[in-house]
Coordinates of all heavy atoms in Angstrom, one line a residue:
T67 N 84.1 142.8 144.7 CA 85.0 142.4 143.6 C 85.8 143.6 143.2 O 87.1 143.5 143.0 CB 84.3 141.9 142.4 OG1 83.5 140.8 142.8 CG2 85.2 141.4 141.3
V68 N 85.2 144.8 143.0 CA 85.9 145.9 142.7 C 86.9 146.3 143.7 O 88.1 146.7 143.4 CB 84.9 147.2 142.6 CG1 85.7 148.5 142.2 CG2 83.9 146.9 141.4
N69 N 86.6 146.2 145.0 CA 87.7 146.6 146.0 C 88.9 145.7 145.9 O 90.0 146.2 146.0 CB 87.0 146.4 147.4 CG 87.9 146.6 148.5 OD1 88.8 145.9 148.9 ND2 87.8 147.9 149.1
E70 N 88.6 144.3 145.7 CA 89.8 143.5 145.5 C 90.7 143.9 144.4 O 91.9 143.9 144.4 CB 89.3 142.0 145.4 CG 88.8 141.4 146.7 CD 88.6 140.0 146.7 OE1 89.1 139.3 145.7 OE2 87.9 139.4 147.5
V71 N 90.0 144.2 143.2 CA 90.8 144.5 142.0 C 91.6 145.8 142.3 O 92.8 145.8 142.0 CB 89.9 144.7 140.8 CG1 90.7 145.3 139.7 CG2 89.2 143.4 140.3
V72 N 91.0 146.8 142.9 CA 91.6 148.1 143.2 C 92.8 147.7 144.1 O 94.0 148.3 143.9 CB 90.7 149.0 143.9 CG1 91.5 150.2 144.5 CG2 89.8 149.5 142.8
N73 N 92.7 146.9 145.1 CA 93.8 146.7 146.1 C 94.9 145.9 145.4 O 96.0 146.0 145.8 CB 93.3 146.0 147.3 CG 92.7 146.9 148.4 OD1 93.6 147.4 149.1 ND2 91.4 147.1 148.4
G74 N 94.6 145.0 144.5 CA 95.6 144.4 143.6 C 96.4 145.4 142.7 O 97.6 145.4 142.7
L75 N 95.7 146.3 142.0 CA 96.2 147.3 141.1 C 97.2 148.2 141.9 O 98.3 148.6 141.3 CB 95.1 148.0 140.4 CG 94.4 147.3 139.2 CD1 93.2 148.2 138.8 CD2 95.3 147.1 138.1
L76 N 96.8 148.6 143.1 CA 97.5 149.5 143.8 C 98.3 149.0 144.9 O 98.6 149.6 146.0 CB 96.6 150.6 144.4 CG 95.7 151.4 143.5 CD1 94.7 152.3 144.3 CD2 96.5 152.2 142.6
H77 N 98.8 147.7 144.7 CA 99.6 146.9 145.7 C 100.8 147.8 146.1 O 101.1 147.8 147.2 CB 99.9 145.6 145.2 CG 100.8 144.9 146.1 ND1 100.3 144.3 147.2 CD2 102.1 144.6 146.1 CE1 101.3 143.7 147.8 NE2 102.4 143.8 147.2
T78 N 101.5 148.5 145.2 CA 102.7 149.2 145.5 C 102.3 150.7 145.4 O 103.3 151.5 145.4 CB 103.8 148.9 144.5 OG1 103.4 149.1 143.2 CG2 104.2 147.4 144.7
G79 N 101.1 151.1 145.4 CA 100.8 152.5 145.4 C 100.4 153.1 144.0 O 100.5 152.3 142.9
P80 N 99.9 154.3 144.0 CA 99.4 155.0 142.7 C 100.5 155.1 141.7 O 101.6 155.4 142.2 CB 98.8 156.2 143.2 CG 98.4 156.0 144.5 CD 99.5 155.1 145.1
N81 N 100.2 154.9 140.5 CA 101.3 155.1 139.4 C 100.5 155.4 138.1 O 99.6 154.6 137.7 CB 102.1 153.9 139.3 CG 103.2 153.9 138.3 OD1 103.2 154.6 137.2 ND2 104.4 153.4 138.6
P82 N 100.9 156.5 137.4 CA 100.1 156.8 136.2 C 100.2 155.7 135.1 O 99.5 155.7 134.1 CB 100.6 158.1 135.8 CG 102.0 158.2 136.4 CD 101.8 157.4 137.7
D83 N 101.2 154.9 135.2 CA 101.4 153.8 134.2 C 100.6 152.5 134.5 O 100.6 151.6 133.8 CB 102.9 153.5 134.0 CG 103.8 154.6 133.6 OD1 103.3 155.4 132.8 OD2 104.9 154.7 134.1
L84 N 99.9 152.5 135.6 CA 99.1 151.4 135.9 C 97.9 151.2 134.9 O 97.5 152.1 134.3 CB 98.5 151.4 137.3 CG 99.5 151.3 138.5 CD1 98.7 151.6 139.8 CD2 100.0 149.9 138.6
P85 N 97.4 150.0 134.8 CA 96.2 149.8 133.9 C 95.1 150.6 134.5 O 95.0 150.9 135.6 CB 95.9 148.2 134.0 CG 97.2 147.6 134.5 CD 98.0 148.7 135.3
G86 N 94.2 151.0 133.4 CA 92.9 151.7 134.0 C 92.0 150.7 134.5 O 92.1 149.5 134.3
L87 N 90.9 151.1 135.1 CA 89.9 150.3 135.6 C 88.5 150.6 135.0 O 88.1 151.8 134.9 CB 89.8 150.4 137.2 CG 88.7 149.8 137.9 CD1 88.8 148.2 137.9 CD2 88.4 150.3 139.3
A88 N 87.9 149.6 134.6 CA 86.4 149.8 134.2 C 85.5 148.8 135.0 O 85.9 147.8 135.4 CB 86.2 149.5 132.7
V89 N 84.4 149.3 135.4 CA 83.5 148.5 136.3 C 82.2 148.2 135.7 O 81.5 149.2 135.2 CB 83.1 149.2 137.7 CG1 82.3 148.5 138.5 CG2 84.6 149.6 138.3
V90 N 81.9 146.9 135.6 CA 80.6 146.5 135.1 C 79.7 146.0 136.3 O 80.1 145.0 137.0 CB 80.6 145.4 134.1 CG1 79.2 145.0 133.7 CG2 81.4 145.9 132.9
P91 N 78.7 146.6 136.8 CA 78.0 146.4 138.0 C 77.3 145.0 138.0 O 76.5 144.7 137.1 CB 77.0 147.5 138.2 CG 76.8 148.0 136.9 CD 78.2 147.9 136.1
G92 N 77.7 144.2 139.0 CA 76.9 142.8 138.9 C 76.5 142.4 140.4 O 76.0 141.3 140.6
G93 N 76.6 143.4 141.4 CA 76.2 143.1 142.8 C 74.8 143.6 143.0 O 74.0 144.1 142.1
S94 N 74.5 143.6 144.3 CA 73.2 144.1 144.7 C 73.0 145.5 144.9 O 71.9 146.1 144.7 CB 72.7 143.4 146.1 OG 73.7 143.6 147.1
T95 N 74.2 146.2 145.1 CA 74.1 147.7 145.3 C 75.0 148.5 144.4 O 74.5 149.5 143.8 CB 74.5 148.0 146.8 OG1 73.8 147.1 147.7 CG2 74.2 149.5 147.1
N96 N 76.2 148.1 144.1 CA 77.1 148.7 143.1 C 77.2 150.2 143.3 O 77.1 151.0 142.5 CB 76.5 148.4 141.7 CG 76.2 147.0 141.5 OD1 77.0 146.1 141.6 ND2 75.0 146.7 141.1
V97 N 77.7 150.5 144.6 CA 77.8 152.0 144.9 C 78.9 152.6 144.1 O 78.7 153.8 143.6 CB 78.0 152.1 146.4 CG1 78.3 153.6 146.8 CG2 77.0 151.5 147.2
F98 N 80.0 152.0 144.0 CA 81.2 152.7 143.2 C 80.7 152.9 141.8 O 81.0 154.1 141.3 CB 82.4 151.7 143.4 CG 83.6 152.4 142.8 CD1 84.1 153.6 143.2 CD2 84.2 151.8 141.7 CE1 85.2 154.2 142.7 CE2 85.4 152.3 141.1 CZ 85.9 153.5 141.6
A99 N 80.2 151.9 141.1 CA 79.9 152.1 139.7 C 78.8 153.2 139.6 O 79.0 154.1 138.6 CB 79.3 150.8 139.2
R100 N 77.8 153.3 140.5 CA 76.8 154.3 140.3 C 77.3 155.6 140.7 O 76.9 156.6 140.1 CB 75.5 153.8 141.1 CG 75.0 152.5 140.7 CD 74.0 151.9 141.7 NE 72.7 152.5 141.7 CZ 71.6 152.1 142.4 NH1 71.9 150.9 143.2 NH2 70.5 152.6 142.4
A101 N 78.2 155.7 141.6 CA 78.8 157.0 142.0 C 79.7 157.5 140.7 O 79.8 158.7 140.7 CB 79.7 156.8 143.2
L102 N 80.1 156.6 139.9 CA 80.9 157.2 138.8 C 80.0 157.6 137.6 O 80.4 158.0 136.7 CB 81.8 156.0 138.2 CG 83.1 155.6 139.1 CD1 83.7 154.3 138.4 CD2 84.0 156.7 139.1
G103 N 78.6 157.4 137.8 CA 77.7 157.7 136.9 C 77.3 156.7 135.8 O 76.6 156.9 134.9
L104 N 77.7 155.4 136.1 CA 77.4 154.3 135.3 C 76.0 153.8 135.5 O 75.5 153.8 136.6 CB 78.5 153.2 135.5 CG 79.9 153.5 134.9 CD1 80.7 152.3 135.5 CD2 79.9 153.6 133.4
P105 N 75.3 153.2 134.5 CA 74.0 152.6 134.8 C 74.1 151.5 135.6 O 75.2 150.8 135.7 CB 73.6 152.1 133.3 CG 74.4 153.1 132.4 CD 75.7 153.2 133.1
N106 N 73.0 151.2 136.4 CA 73.1 150.0 137.3 C 72.8 148.7 136.7 O 73.1 147.5 137.2 CB 72.2 150.2 138.5 CG 72.4 149.3 139.6 OD1 73.6 149.1 140.0 ND2 71.3 148.9 140.3
D107 N 72.5 148.7 135.4 CA 72.3 147.4 134.6 C 73.5 147.2 133.9 O 74.3 148.0 133.2 CB 71.2 147.8 133.5 CG 71.0 146.5 132.6 OD1 70.3 145.6 133.0 OD2 71.6 146.5 131.5
A108 N 74.1 145.9 133.9 CA 75.2 145.3 133.4 C 75.3 145.6 132.0 O 76.5 146.1 131.5 CB 75.5 144.0 133.8
V109 N 74.3 145.4 131.3 CA 74.4 145.5 129.8 C 74.6 146.9 129.3 O 75.4 147.3 128.5 CB 73.2 144.8 129.1 CG1 73.2 145.2 127.6 CG2 73.1 143.3 129.4
E110 N 73.7 147.7 130.0 CA 73.9 149.2 129.7 C 75.2 149.8 130.1 O 75.8 150.6 129.5 CB 72.7 150.0 130.4 CG 71.3 149.6 129.8 CD 70.2 150.4 130.6 OE1 70.5 151.4 131.4 OE2 69.1 150.2 130.3
A111 N 75.7 149.3 131.3 CA 77.0 149.9 131.7 C 78.1 149.4 130.8 O 79.0 150.2 130.6 CB 77.3 149.3 133.1
T112 N 78.0 148.2 130.3 CA 79.0 147.8 129.2 C 79.0 148.7 128.0 O 80.1 149.0 127.5 CB 78.8 146.3 128.9 OG1 78.9 145.5 130.0 CG2 79.8 145.8 127.8
G113 N 77.9 149.0 127.5 CA 77.7 149.9 126.5 C 78.3 151.2 126.7 O 79.1 151.9 125.9
A114 N 78.0 151.8 127.9 CA 78.7 153.1 128.3 C 80.1 153.1 128.5 O 80.8 153.9 128.0 CB 78.0 153.5 129.7
I115 N 80.6 151.9 128.8 CA 82.1 151.6 128.9 C 82.7 151.7 127.6 O 83.8 152.4 127.2 CB 82.5 150.4 129.7 CG1 82.2 150.7 131.2 CG2 84.0 150.1 129.5 CD1 82.2 149.5 132.1
L116 N 82.1 150.9 126.7 CA 82.6 150.9 125.3 C 82.6 152.2 124.6 O 83.5 152.6 123.9 CB 81.8 149.8 124.5 CG 82.0 148.4 124.9 CD1 81.1 147.4 124.1 CD2 83.5 148.0 124.6
D117 N 81.5 153.1 124.8 CA 81.5 154.4 124.2 C 82.5 155.2 124.8 O 83.2 156.0 124.2 CB 80.0 155.0 124.7 CG 78.9 154.4 123.7 OD1 79.2 153.8 122.8 OD2 77.8 154.6 124.2
A118 N 82.8 155.1 126.2 CA 83.8 155.8 126.9 C 85.2 155.6 126.3 O 86.0 156.4 126.0 CB 83.7 155.6 128.3
L119 N 85.4 154.2 126.0 CA 86.8 153.9 125.5 C 86.9 154.4 124.0 O 88.0 154.9 123.6 CB 86.9 152.3 125.4 CG 87.0 151.6 126.7 CD1 86.9 150.1 126.7 CD2 88.4 152.1 127.4
R120 N 85.9 154.4 123.2 CA 85.9 154.9 121.8 C 86.2 156.4 121.8 O 86.9 156.9 121.0 CB 84.7 154.6 121.0 CG 84.3 153.1 120.9 CD 83.1 153.0 120.0 NE 82.6 151.5 120.0 CZ 81.5 151.1 120.6 NH1 80.8 152.0 121.3 NH2 81.2 149.8 120.6
E121 N 85.7 157.1 122.8 CA 85.7 158.5 122.9 C 86.9 159.1 123.8 O 87.1 160.2 124.0 CB 84.3 159.1 123.4 CG 83.2 158.8 122.5 CD 81.9 159.2 123.1 OE1 81.9 159.8 124.2 OE2 80.8 158.8 122.6
G122 N 87.6 158.1 124.4 CA 88.7 158.4 125.3 C 88.3 159.1 126.6 O 89.1 159.9 127.1
R123 N 87.2 158.8 127.1 CA 86.7 159.4 128.4 C 87.2 158.6 129.6 O 87.0 157.4 129.7 CB 85.2 159.4 128.5 CG 84.5 160.3 127.3 CD 83.1 160.6 127.7 NE 82.3 159.5 128.2 CZ 81.5 158.7 127.5 NH1 81.4 159.0 126.2 NH2 80.8 157.7 128.0
E124 N 87.8 159.3 130.5 CA 88.3 158.7 131.7 C 88.5 159.7 132.7 O 88.5 161.0 132.5 CB 89.6 158.0 131.5 CG 90.8 158.8 131.0 CD 92.1 158.1 130.8 OE1 92.0 156.9 130.2 OE2 93.1 158.5 131.3
R125 N 88.6 159.4 134.0 CA 89.0 160.3 135.1 C 89.9 159.7 136.1 O 89.9 158.4 136.2 CB 87.7 160.9 135.7 CG 86.9 159.8 136.5 CD 85.6 160.4 137.1 NE 85.9 161.3 138.2 CZ 85.0 161.8 139.1 NH1 83.8 161.3 139.0 NH2 85.2 162.6 140.1
T126 N 90.7 160.4 136.8 CA 91.5 159.9 137.9 C 90.8 160.2 139.2 O 90.7 161.5 139.5 CB 92.9 160.5 137.8 OG1 93.4 160.1 136.5 CG2 93.8 159.9 138.8
V127 N 90.5 159.3 140.0 CA 89.7 159.5 141.1 C 90.6 159.3 142.4 O 91.6 158.6 142.4 CB 88.5 158.5 141.3 CG1 87.5 158.7 140.2 CG2 89.0 157.1 141.4
G128 N 90.2 160.0 143.5 CA 90.8 159.9 144.7 C 90.2 158.7 145.5 O 89.1 158.2 145.2
L129 N 91.0 158.0 146.3 CA 90.6 156.8 147.1 C 91.0 157.0 148.6 O 91.8 157.9 148.9 CB 91.2 155.5 146.5 CG 90.8 155.3 145.1 CD1 91.7 153.9 144.7 CD2 89.4 155.0 145.0
G130 N 90.4 156.2 149.4 CA 90.7 156.1 150.8 C 91.8 155.0 151.1 O 91.7 153.9 150.5
L131 N 92.7 155.2 152.1 CA 93.6 154.2 152.4 C 93.6 154.0 154.0 O 93.6 155.0 154.7 CB 95.0 154.6 151.9 CG 96.2 153.7 152.2 CD1 96.1 152.3 151.6 CD2 97.5 154.3 151.9
T132 N 93.6 152.8 154.4 CA 93.6 152.6 155.9 C 94.9 151.8 156.2 O 95.4 151.1 155.3 CB 92.3 151.9 156.4 OG1 92.4 150.5 155.8 CG2 91.1 152.5 155.9
A133 N 95.3 151.8 157.5 CA 96.4 151.1 158.0 C 96.3 151.0 159.5 O 95.6 151.8 160.1 CB 97.7 151.8 157.6
G134 N 97.0 150.0 160.1 CA 97.0 150.1 161.5 C 97.7 151.1 162.1 O 98.9 151.5 161.5

Side-chain angles (χ1 to χ4, degrees):
T67 302
V68 175
N69 180 279
E70 286 194 12
V71 169
V72 167
N73 274 278
L75 287 172
L76 297 178
H77 178 73
T78 59
N81 186 321
D83 295 326
L84 288 173
L87 172 70
V89 179
V90 179
S94 59
T95 311
N96 309 304
V97 179
F98 184 62
R100 295 165 83 172
L102 290 173
L104 291 169
N106 198 38
D107 177 80
V109 175
E110 292 182 8
T112 300
I115 290 168
L116 292 175
D117 288 342
L119 290 170
R120 296 184 193 109
E121 298 169 12
R123 296 198 313 268
E124 61 180 47
R125 65 181 292 194
T126 303
V127 299
L129 299 173
L131 179 65
T132 67

